[in-house]
Amino acid sequence: MKNTIALSVLLIIASAAGAVAQNAPAKDLFASKCAMCHGPDGSAQTTMGKNLKIRDFHSSDVQKQSDGDLKTVITKGKGKMPAFDGKLTGQQIDQLVGYLREIGKQK
Ligand code: HEC
């Protein structure tokens, strides 16, 4: 009986920790995999961003594209944009698209 209680407490702690980890990754992923070119805020005001003429994620040129279009660019790459197929899971890429939408809502 005691063991059952201890086990359920453990399970609750484990799932709570999982929930926290679910929220953070898009931002962390962006910071570790994308920010060196796209800038920490996605506006591409980095040396790389300027040299490669990367569009600001806040711009309508980027935001008018569908989730599917953005997902394809991230998955397959485009020009100097590296493909992340095999480096990130489809789920991680979906989270990044969601994060790009959040960036689009910020000024
Ligand atoms: C080596 C630099 C580099 C890295 C790292 C990089 N990108 Fe890019 N990205 C680019 C360039 C350059 C373009 C413009 C491609 C073009 O239009 O020819 C681009 C374009 C894009 C676009 C399309 C925007 C538009 O102009 O329509 C999206 C979306 C995007 N990147 C997302 C990401 C995400 C998410 C990551 C991280 C997982 C990432 N990129 C990492 C260089 C990079």
Side-chain angles (χ1 to χ4, degrees):
M1 186 59 194
K2 258 192 186 148
N3 278 340
T4 323
I5 293 168
L7 186 64
S8 24
V9 169
L10 263 181
L11 285 175
I12 290 164
I13 293 169
S15 58
V20 172
Q22 288 266 308
N23 270 331
K27 197 166 189 242
D28 289 350
L29 274 176
F30 190 84
S32 63
K33 310 260 181 217
C34 323
M36 65 284 229
C37 293
H38 289 279
D41 64 348
S43 60
Q45 292 303 309
T46 58
T47 313
M48 261 316 209
K50 286 178 189 163
N51 284 340
L52 298 175
K53 300 195 169 53
I54 303 181
R55 291 192 283 195
D56 185 347
F57 284 153
H58 301 84
S59 72
S60 59
D61 283 339
V62 174
Q63 292 297 330
K64 74 181 178 205
Q65 298 176 62
S66 71
D67 286 3
D69 290 340
L70 297 176
K71 189 173 179 181
T72 303
V73 175
I74 303 168
T75 311
K76 306 276 176 218
K78 184 184 171 199
K80 296 263 169 7
M81 161 79 192
F84 283 90
D85 195 14
K87 294 180 203 153
L88 296 173
T89 64
Q91 200 195 356
Q92 286 175 313
I93 294 173
D94 285 337
Q95 287 171 342
L96 282 166
V97 170
Y99 186 64
L100 299 190
R101 296 296 184 205
E102 276 179 42
I103 289 177
K105 287 183 205 137
Q106 294 156 10
K107 282 285 166 196

